[in-house]
Amino acid sequence: MMKRRDLLKTGLKTGLVAGAALAAPALPATLAAQPIKGSVRDRKLFDIAQRELNRAGPAIWKRDIVGIADFGVHSAQRRFHFVNLDRQEVQSYHVSHGTGSDPEHDGWLNNYSNVEGSNATSRGAYVTWEWYVGRYGTSVRLGGLDPTNDAALRRYIVMHRAKYAEPTHIDRWGRLGRSNGCFALGEEQFRIALLNLSGGRLLFADSLGLNADGSIAQRPQYEPLQPERPSDVQRYAPGSF
């Protein structure tokens, strides 16, 4: 015969189970996916950043923020994207390309090169290394991770500040000045880059051509200009005009 104490325990357990069933609503069979943050272009940049991180593997040891330089749009556009994967945010800034990639100086990148002395921009993935003080003041060394940019270190391809990469240069000339193949930014943009992209993060450069609305940029068609013999200023200070 069941004792009175055992009956009380059994009743208490039954009441607790029943109460829990009433208090906790049944979960749906499937949970609805949460919408991804950002615009159409942002979502494309998230995908590219994650793809390139996976491709680079252990060469990148800080994987929270990725820099993506989109040289498929005009230099007057904000085409250097700081892609924060942790926060699902994108901030965009201006960046210059090399003289050898734009001999006509019309603001559009025509070609890439990994050759020393070409003064051209190189396509591919880079790892950002340490800061140092050089010709352009504080700069960030870059290591090329692809056959298309593996000469970056001996070509002195770095990330640095430059007056010709300031937004005010666009106001005057309608485009940024050109570098010798480096990723040149304005003063404030470079300060942000030092804090967000240096020290083992990924920088990826390619002609993606992504407009702000996510559409693909269309380069205007025109008869190419014949390049003139460069002046000394153009040869030795390519970004100053």
Side-chain angles (χ1 to χ4, degrees):
M1 180 180 294
M2 184 176 293
K3 295 181 180 180
R4 183 172 179 275
R5 182 177 60 186
D6 294 332
L7 288 172
L8 290 174
K9 288 183 178 180
T10 302
L12 180 61
K13 289 180 181 179
T14 303
L16 288 173
V17 171
L22 291 174
L27 293 175
T30 58
L31 294 174
Q34 295 298 313
I36 300 176
K37 295 181 180 179
S39 65
V40 173
R41 182 181 68 179
D42 291 351
R43 294 195 291 274
K44 291 181 179 179
L45 291 170
F46 295 145
D47 290 341
I48 294 168
Q50 192 60 64
R51 180 196 73 195
E52 293 302 316
L53 280 174
N54 293 339
R55 192 170 68 88
I60 305 299
W61 60 92
K62 290 185 179 179
R63 309 172 74 86
D64 53 347
I65 301 174
V66 174
I68 299 179
D70 182 1
F71 291 116
V73 297
H74 193 267
S75 69
Q77 304 300 315
R78 293 177 177 267
R79 57 184 184 171
F80 195 12
H81 309 294
F82 294 10
V83 183
N84 190 317
L85 293 171
D86 287 350
R87 296 183 179 179
Q88 291 284 289
E89 294 176 352
V90 176
Q91 295 181 335
S92 302
Y93 305 98
H94 295 102
V95 65
S96 292
H97 54 243
T99 58
S101 293
D102 180 12
E104 297 169 351
H105 199 7
D106 60 5
W108 291 94
L109 182 144
N110 296 318
N111 60 277
Y112 295 94
S113 177
N114 194 33
V115 177
E116 293 183 61
S118 66
N119 291 333
T121 298
S122 296
R123 167 190 268 132
Y126 300 80
V127 57
T128 64
W129 285 338
E130 77 281 6
W131 308 359
Y132 75 100
V133 179
R135 177 181 175 186
Y136 299 101
T138 302
S139 304
V140 178
R141 286 193 175 93
L142 302 174
L145 301 178
D146 289 311
T148 54
N149 66 352
D150 59 4
L153 189 60
R154 62 178 178 269
R155 289 183 62 207
Y156 300 98
I157 301 302
V158 300
M159 188 164 55
H160 65 78
R161 60 169 58 82
K163 291 183 179 179
Y164 59 79
E166 295 285 356
T168 52
H169 198 281
I170 299 173
D171 297 337
R172 181 177 181 184
W173 299 101
R175 61 189 183 278
L176 292 182
R178 300 166 298 171
S179 70
N180 288 324
C182 295
F183 296 83
L185 300 90
E187 179 71 30
E188 179 62 18
Q189 290 85 354
F190 181 70
R191 185 188 67 80
I192 296 171
L194 279 179
L195 296 174
N196 291 276
L197 289 183
S198 62
R201 291 184 171 89
L202 176 69
L203 169 56
F204 178 65
D206 201 357
S207 293
L208 305 170
L210 295 176
N211 288 320
D213 61 0
S215 63
I216 302 301
Q218 298 296 320
R219 180 171 178 166
Q221 300 297 315
Y222 57 87
E223 188 68 23
L225 301 174
Q226 294 299 317
E228 300 177 356
R229 182 180 180 276
S231 66
D232 288 343
V233 172
Q234 293 169 345
R235 289 174 62 195
Y236 297 109
S240 63
F241 69 103

